[in-house]
Amino acid sequence: MTHLVKTLTLVTAAIATTGATAQLTSQSLVPDPNALSFDHVPNRIFVRFADPENSPINVQILDEVGGTIRSESKLVPGLVTVDTSIPVDRALKVLSSKRNAIKYVEPVYIVEAFDTIPNDPMYNDLYGMEQVRAHQAWDDHVGDQDFIIAIIDTGVDYTHQDLVANMWTNPGEIPGNGQDDDGNGYVDDVYGYDFSNYDSDPMDFNGHGTHCAGTVGGVGNNGVGVAGVNWHCRIVGAQFLSSGGSGSTDGAIDAVEYCAINQFKVSNNSWGGGGFSQALFDVVQAAGDDYGHIFVAAAGNGGSYGASYPAAMTCTNLIAVAATDINENMASFSQYHPVEVDLGAPGVDVLSSTPGNNYSYYSGTSMATPHVAGGVGLIYSVLGDSSATEVIDIILSTTRSIPSMEGNTVTGGVLNVAEALENTFLGPKITMVSSVPVEMDPNVALGVTVHVDPREDDLTGSVYLHYNDGDGWNMMAMDASGSMEYSASVPGMNCDDMPEFYVTCSGVVAGDVAHPSGGASNAYSWLVGNLVVAYEDNGESNGDWTVSTNSLDGGWDRGVPINCNRGDPSGDYDGSGSCWLTDNSSADGCNSDVDEGSTTLTSGFIYLTGIDNPTLSYARWFHNTYGAAPNTDTFLVEWSADGSNWYELESVGPSGPEVSGGWVHVAFGVNDFAGDVDAIQLRFTASDIGADTQSVVEAGVDAVMVTSVDCDDASDCPADATGDGYVNVSDLLAAIGDWGASDSAADANGDGTVDVADLLMMIDAWGACE
């Protein structure tokens, strides 16, 4: 309810602000009228275009300020960071006249960490944990080792003795190989990423970020140093502040977007300064709306009425934090406001980790904020699939009232982790006991065992196994097989099938719960048979590919995507680094694409002799929605068995959902389109030959493979017609039901007909399959 009150108040404030801004828009598109009075990066601005796809007009507008696009937002359409050849004040003035083409333009502010000089040690305990009642909450919950909290700051000393066990290590990244193994757009981001130097090492050489990390998630009960609000969690270093403690808002935006696309639910933001940034607002709000991200921000250390930015932003997924001292007085340096600042937390003489296995006392709203970020993480890790709004409502509605916060914050209180935890509800939790294979032999059942803990709820009815056999979803009740354990079997499947399953139960209060979350849309799956890779090309060499081009520009090229922001990929498909692309060059200012003609990429012969039922797959990229004549061209994929006669495999475009970029992975059975052939060639053609050649055409190809499924072990238990791992009455009934059929799992001897011979074989094999 508290958060609802705040939200309504903020909406009112936003309307009032919008009204004030509206009076300025006749003269300026800069959101903050005092923008130039704040420290900002020279010759760099944010621009948000009204029509992101009108590339020629947008480029023409930027030419007026000597602008080149530095980066493009991954969350907010049309938002770009631009380097200019003229001063910022002149650039803002020029671009403010482009009301039909630009939503807003603003400086890139310089911000700083919100801390003061560390005090001499005067306290030998963590008084803050008692103030926020964390010690009472720890009786019930000390964190979740899989829950990730980002420290957007000066980095984190990921080798610190009190943090190393709680550091996030990217499971999809191979350290030090110089490649983006997990395909998230960042190379070697093992512990996070540095958006100050734009490299993969977020090591802290300042101390501020490591101090915040220790309060959020210093390992607890390990006999070393301090304990964070979360004894167990995963800490990510999302660095954008330099070793000197300052940074710019474009780096902050990149850090927030990194958190969002990696689905980190909480970030600690103990920094601020500068004016109102509409660009930062849009990105933070999008991270909340699209990814459930909660942005916890420090109110500021000016000792003044009103929060600093970004804490003063009215994003619905933002919590602003003031600082209190050991006596629960408001810290003399803390900024405060009954609408802009949500709650207080300890921020004076806070002991926490610093680089090099050290510990120090720091003061600042920077130190208060990680108490709250840690509390948010603790609650969010319990609530699981809840929304950011639900978590924030619990945090703000359970604060502990104290006089120094009344009238100075929205809630009038300080963080109360124990009360917040009391207000969560722990519904049933399903966890896997058995493992899920990558591959299995045909006609072999998969035993599934799960642990179902009702926690604070009561189960209603049965626990169910849902499985998809290729013909649709089936459901069966699981048998209770032990203390809170349930078991059932997915029947064996045929060679080349890809079965799926998930498990559900129901709670009296929580209702239906699925594991994995999402149920059928996120089910476990595996391959029946063994995958054999007969051919693979991931674009790491030219190989025997050839290129022929009759266009004026934009021919096929192989390499690491440059991403010129004109519809071309920002990375390859499979994370190997390289792929085939049209116009992979920035030499002409990124204005090149396929122009007035076609470019064709042709493979060498892919030999198929001895491969049963081969499957051809590849990833493709196509974009044709930019330019004066969008949606007029196609991307053609063809095949040939002899190199002379070519046949269409697929044609993409000129319109539809697959012409706006993004890698699309497709697969085709070779026998289905080519019959039984010994070899095939492929060719990919991108063209600019439509009714009007003013379209911007970009294409890409990656991860070309030919695979087959080997099922040599298909007859290990041929009499098991039902695939449950046993030969029994159910198999006899299956044979009787399919009597005379030529295509049935009950054809145990494989002679093409279900008959008496199959019944006799079943009787002879009676019992469990070996």
Side-chain angles (χ1 to χ4, degrees):
M1 187 67 182
T2 305
H3 185 50
L4 177 60
V5 172
K6 182 201 175 188
T7 302
L8 293 174
T9 307
L10 293 179
V11 168
T12 305
I15 293 171
T17 303
T18 302
T21 304
Q23 297 174 8
L24 292 170
T25 54
S26 62
Q27 303 168 351
S28 175
L29 293 178
V30 182
D32 192 321
N34 300 311
L36 293 173
S37 66
F38 300 101
D39 289 341
H40 53 271
V41 179
N43 302 101
R44 192 180 304 168
I45 56 175
F46 288 122
V47 178
R48 186 173 183 190
F49 291 113
D51 182 3
E53 297 185 353
N54 197 347
S55 183
I57 296 298
N58 296 341
V59 170
Q60 181 180 342
I61 289 172
L62 293 185
D63 285 344
E64 296 186 36
V65 296
T68 57
I69 293 175
R70 182 184 182 90
S71 63
E72 179 182 6
S73 171
K74 296 177 175 63
L75 301 186
V76 179
L79 176 60
V80 293
T81 309
V82 176
D83 288 330
T84 67
S85 62
I86 63 176
V88 169
D89 58 343
R90 287 178 55 198
L92 298 184
K93 184 175 181 179
V94 170
L95 296 182
S96 285
S97 65
K98 313 296 181 182
R99 294 182 196 86
N100 293 331
I102 293 176
K103 290 187 175 183
Y104 58 80
V105 57
E106 66 185 24
V108 175
Y109 297 115
I110 295 173
V111 297
E112 297 179 344
F114 278 146
D115 70 318
T116 60
I117 302 300
N119 292 332
D120 294 331
M122 297 181 65
Y123 306 102
N124 58 6
D125 59 357
L126 303 176
Y127 78 92
M129 295 301 167
E130 291 194 7
Q131 277 198 4
V132 301
R133 303 299 191 258
H135 64 299
Q136 296 177 9
W138 290 334
D139 289 338
D140 297 317
H141 187 54
V142 293
D144 184 337
Q145 196 70 69
D146 294 326
F147 191 85
I148 302 169
I149 303 172
I151 309 298
I152 301 180
D153 211 284
T154 62
V156 176
D157 180 357
Y158 45 77
T159 66
H160 195 287
Q161 60 185 355
D162 233 357
L163 298 175
V164 64
N166 277 353
M167 288 303 302
W168 177 72
T169 53
N170 189 338
E173 205 67 36
I174 300 173
N177 69 347
Q179 297 183 6
D180 178 18
D181 301 295
D182 60 357
N184 69 352
Y186 302 91
V187 173
D188 286 340
D189 57 322
V190 177
Y191 298 106
Y193 204 80
D194 178 357
F195 296 97
S196 175
N197 297 308
Y198 284 87
D199 61 41
S200 60
D201 187 6
M203 175 56 76
D204 183 11
F205 294 102
N206 175 282
H208 189 266
T210 301
H211 197 277
C212 293
T215 300
V216 168
V219 179
N221 202 35
N222 65 343
V224 176
V226 297
V229 177
N230 294 265
W231 290 8
H232 305 299
C233 65
R234 291 296 180 204
I235 297 292
V236 173
Q239 181 178 359
F240 87 100
L241 300 177
S242 67
S243 59
S246 64
S248 55
T249 45
D250 55 340
I253 282 174
D254 288 342
V256 174
E257 292 192 339
Y258 178 76
C259 293
I261 65 174
N262 284 288
Q263 301 188 44
F264 306 150
K265 294 294 189 181
V266 181
S267 64
N268 184 87
N269 298 273
S270 294
W271 51 271
F276 170 69
S277 170
Q278 186 69 54
L280 182 59
F281 178 98
D282 288 348
V283 168
V284 170
Q285 188 63 64
D289 292 343
D290 299 339
Y291 296 93
H293 183 81
I294 298 178
F295 185 94
V296 186
N301 290 350
S304 57
Y305 184 78
S308 293
Y309 289 109
M313 297 193 309
T314 57
C315 301
T316 57
N317 60 317
L318 184 150
I319 300 176
V321 187
T324 59
D325 64 16
I326 194 171
N327 296 314
E328 298 192 340
N329 297 314
M330 185 167 64
S332 60
F333 53 75
S334 181
Q335 291 173 228
Y336 56 94
H337 194 276
V339 174
E340 295 177 351
V341 181
D342 292 296
L343 77 170
V348 178
D349 294 328
V350 174
L351 178 64
S352 188
S353 51
T354 46
N357 291 333
N358 293 313
Y359 301 88
S360 302
Y361 290 92
Y362 283 13
S363 296
T365 51
S366 280
M367 286 57 256
T369 304
H371 284 90
V372 177
V376 170
L378 198 75
I379 302 307
Y380 218 154
S381 69
V382 170
L383 293 176
D385 292 334
S386 296
S387 68
T389 300
E390 290 172 323
V391 176
I392 292 173
D393 281 341
I394 289 174
I395 293 291
L396 298 187
S397 65
T398 57
T399 57
R400 182 170 56 84
S401 296
I402 60 173
S404 67
M405 292 291 101
E406 292 180 2
N408 292 322
T409 60
V410 172
T411 64
V414 293
L415 175 69
N416 188 339
V417 180
E419 184 68 18
L421 191 62
E422 282 290 320
N423 279 264
T424 63
F425 180 79
L426 301 177
K429 182 178 182 180
I430 305 172
T431 54
M432 288 293 299
V433 175
S434 56
S435 60
V436 181
V438 176
E439 300 175 344
M440 284 189 69
D441 291 333
N443 301 316
V444 177
L446 174 67
V448 177
T449 302
V450 295
H451 182 273
V452 182
D453 186 353
R455 299 197 290 186
E456 296 176 0
D457 209 346
D458 293 310
L459 297 182
T460 64
S462 300
V463 176
Y464 289 98
L465 173 68
H466 305 253
Y467 68 91
N468 188 344
D469 58 7
D471 294 324
W473 285 97
N474 305 274
M475 183 175 73
M476 68 173 69
M478 303 184 74
D479 297 326
S481 57
S483 178
M484 294 192 287
E485 289 192 357
Y486 297 81
S487 297
S489 292
V490 178
M493 305 283 177
N494 296 322
C495 181
D496 209 11
D497 283 345
M498 289 199 70
E500 299 176 287
F501 82 86
Y502 65 96
V503 177
T504 61
C505 67
S506 294
V508 173
V509 177
D512 292 337
V513 176
H515 179 81
S517 61
S521 64
N522 188 37
Y524 289 114
S525 65
W526 64 98
L527 174 68
V528 177
N530 301 309
L531 185 68
V532 177
V533 178
Y535 173 87
E536 181 176 15
D537 192 304
N538 56 12
E540 296 307 291
S541 69
N542 290 341
D544 52 3
W545 293 82
T546 58
V547 174
S548 59
T549 301
N550 62 20
S551 61
L552 296 180
D553 200 359
W556 284 103
D557 188 17
R558 188 193 62 80
V560 178
I562 293 173
N563 183 22
C564 281
N565 192 32
R566 279 168 53 86
D568 47 344
S570 58
D572 67 329
Y573 171 74
D574 59 10
S576 61
S578 296
C579 58
W580 286 96
L581 305 131
T582 57
D583 173 36
N584 193 39
S585 171
S586 59
D588 58 356
C590 290
N591 287 321
S592 173
D593 63 291
V594 182
D595 283 325
E596 299 184 34
S598 301
T599 181
T600 300
L601 173 68
T602 305
S603 75
F605 277 102
I606 301 171
Y607 295 99
L608 307 174
T609 303
I611 304 172
D612 294 331
N613 298 316
T615 296
L616 167 70
S617 63
Y618 53 85
R620 55 169 164 77
W621 175 290
F622 185 54
H623 194 293
N624 73 353
T625 66
Y626 286 167
N631 302 112
T632 57
D633 295 293
T634 60
F635 180 47
L636 181 64
V637 184
E638 299 170 288
W639 69 274
S640 174
D642 56 14
S644 299
N645 299 295
W646 291 90
Y647 306 94
E648 180 180 312
L649 182 58
E650 63 169 338
S651 181
V652 184
S655 60
E658 294 185 349
V659 300
S660 298
W663 286 106
V664 178
H665 189 261
V666 295
F668 304 91
V670 175
N671 292 351
D672 294 337
F673 68 79
D676 187 11
V677 295
D678 294 329
I680 60 169
Q681 277 185 284
L682 302 173
R683 69 183 186 189
F684 303 86
T685 302
S687 303
D688 182 40
I689 54 175
D692 190 328
T693 57
Q694 297 304 307
S695 58
V696 176
V697 175
E698 301 283 15
V701 173
D702 198 11
V704 181
M705 297 180 68
V706 173
T707 59
S708 65
V709 178
D710 181 7
C711 292
D712 288 343
D713 298 324
S715 61
D716 280 354
C717 194
D720 179 16
T722 60
D724 61 1
Y726 296 88
V727 180
N728 52 28
V729 173
S730 62
D731 302 294
L732 297 180
L733 294 175
I736 293 170
D738 287 350
W739 199 261
S742 59
D743 182 17
S744 169
D747 181 16
N749 62 7
D751 64 359
T753 305
V754 179
D755 54 20
V756 172
D758 301 299
L759 291 179
L760 294 175
M761 189 171 176
M762 291 176 182
I763 294 170
D764 187 56
W766 202 263
C769 294
E770 297 181 0

